[in-house]
Amino acid sequence: MRRAGKITAAARAMAGKMVTAGVTTREIDRAVKSFIESQGAVPTFLGYNGYPASVCISVNEELIHGIPGKRVLRDGDVVSIDVGATKDGFVGDCAATFIVGNGTEAARKLVEVTRQSFFEGIKYAREGYRVSDISHAVQQFVEANGFSVCREYVGHGVGAKMHEEPEVPNYGPAGHGPRLVRGMTIAVEPMVNMGAAAIRVLDDGWTVVTQDGKPAAHYENTILITDGDPEILTVSEEYL
Ligand code: MF3
Ligand code: CO
């Protein structure tokens, strides 16, 4: 899981550096696929339930599962990169949102609150707490900052498969769900809308967009529950 996590995090960082005006989302997808394969790993998303690419790239009002293509990134775009890599039978899964250029102040706040909500959540990613303690902390932090969390998509256990039990929602009351035990690996992934929480799926069958058309952001790491602080597995020294 550590090896898979490092490769996945490096892929995310590499993609993030490519988030510049004039690049196409397909170019990012190709570069990430090559990088993952160069590490002796497999892009987990490619072919997953028929998904046609190695990365999800979701721009502006797109929250998650945007399909890379001929779209050209422009100054101010809010670009979420979600990537998975399978190495020696284990999966890393992580995401982050990047802005092309400086972006608006509101966009910068959205990105920072989304990232910080992950860290608020994992304060409870410790033995003895329950899954929904994480969920509740994420929701509280996001809503205290005036944004909203998506209900339809959730974080998840991750291991030999990308999606395992338990579900890790970004909302709900504390004190529910399975108790966290050392050795569990889970993907905690706040999906945050600047406006209302409502989403819909585009006709391509994948792209999830906000109904109000306002921007959205995503931040995710694969983490390990230990007997102390959680260990973030999707970290990469080379790129971060
Ligand atoms: N990374 C996403 C998740 O966190 C899954 C991507 S969907 C896929 O669950 F089809 F692209 F793989
Ligand atoms: Co995930």
Side-chain angles (χ1 to χ4, degrees):
M1 289 296 289
R2 287 194 182 96
R3 290 201 288 274
K6 273 191 179 171
I7 294 165
T8 313
R12 170 180 59 185
M14 184 194 169
K17 286 192 176 172
M18 289 183 74
V19 171
T20 52
V23 77
T24 68
T25 53
R26 180 176 285 119
E27 287 171 318
I28 296 174
D29 182 66
R30 300 237 159 183
V32 167
K33 179 172 188 283
S34 299
F35 171 74
I36 290 172
E37 290 172 347
S38 77
Q39 301 300 303
V42 173
T44 313
F45 296 2
L46 188 60
Y48 185 87
N49 291 336
Y51 186 73
S54 300
V55 187
C56 298
I57 305 180
S58 309
V59 184
N60 296 331
E61 79 284 2
E62 298 172 356
L63 170 61
I64 49 169
H65 300 171
I67 301 172
K70 58 183 170 18
R71 181 177 192 149
V72 179
L73 297 182
R74 298 167 47 171
D75 189 53
D77 280 347
V78 175
V79 183
S80 297
I81 301 283
D82 188 354
V83 59
T86 305
K87 173 72 172 172
D88 301 333
F90 291 95
V91 176
D93 186 9
C94 69
T97 302
F98 303 89
I99 298 175
V100 181
N102 288 326
T104 64
E105 197 180 327
R108 289 195 298 273
K109 181 182 173 193
L110 174 69
V111 168
E112 189 44 39
V113 165
T114 303
R115 182 176 181 281
Q116 188 59 35
S117 71
F118 164 86
F119 289 97
E120 295 298 321
I122 69 164
K123 288 178 180 171
Y124 300 91
R126 308 176 73 88
E127 274 196 325
Y129 288 101
R130 290 180 184 272
V131 165
S132 90
D133 295 325
I134 299 173
S135 312
H136 186 67
V138 169
Q139 179 179 22
Q140 288 288 116
F141 185 78
V142 167
E143 293 182 352
N145 281 281
F147 301 141
S148 64
V149 287
C150 176
R151 308 294 201 274
E152 289 85 349
Y153 297 86
V154 295
H156 49 91
V158 52
K161 290 187 294 174
M162 175 162 60
H163 292 139
E164 300 183 349
E165 291 185 348
E167 289 194 344
V168 185
N170 296 304
Y171 64 94
H176 294 267
R179 221 171 258 290
L180 297 169
V181 179
R182 74 186 76 178
M184 286 180 168
T185 47
I186 59 176
V188 177
E189 50 177 316
M191 289 160 263
V192 177
N193 295 351
M194 188 183 285
I199 52 89
R200 67 190 173 91
V201 181
L202 296 187
D203 287 340
D204 64 17
W206 283 102
T207 312
V208 178
V209 299
T210 60
Q211 281 188 19
D212 63 12
K214 293 191 179 164
H218 186 196
Y219 187 77
E220 173 180 26
N221 283 305
T222 298
I223 66 169
L224 169 68
I225 307 300
T226 74
D227 57 0
D229 292 337
E231 179 179 340
I232 298 177
L233 301 180
T234 40
V235 288
S236 145
E237 297 92 33
E238 307 99 284
Y239 284 93
L240 288 179

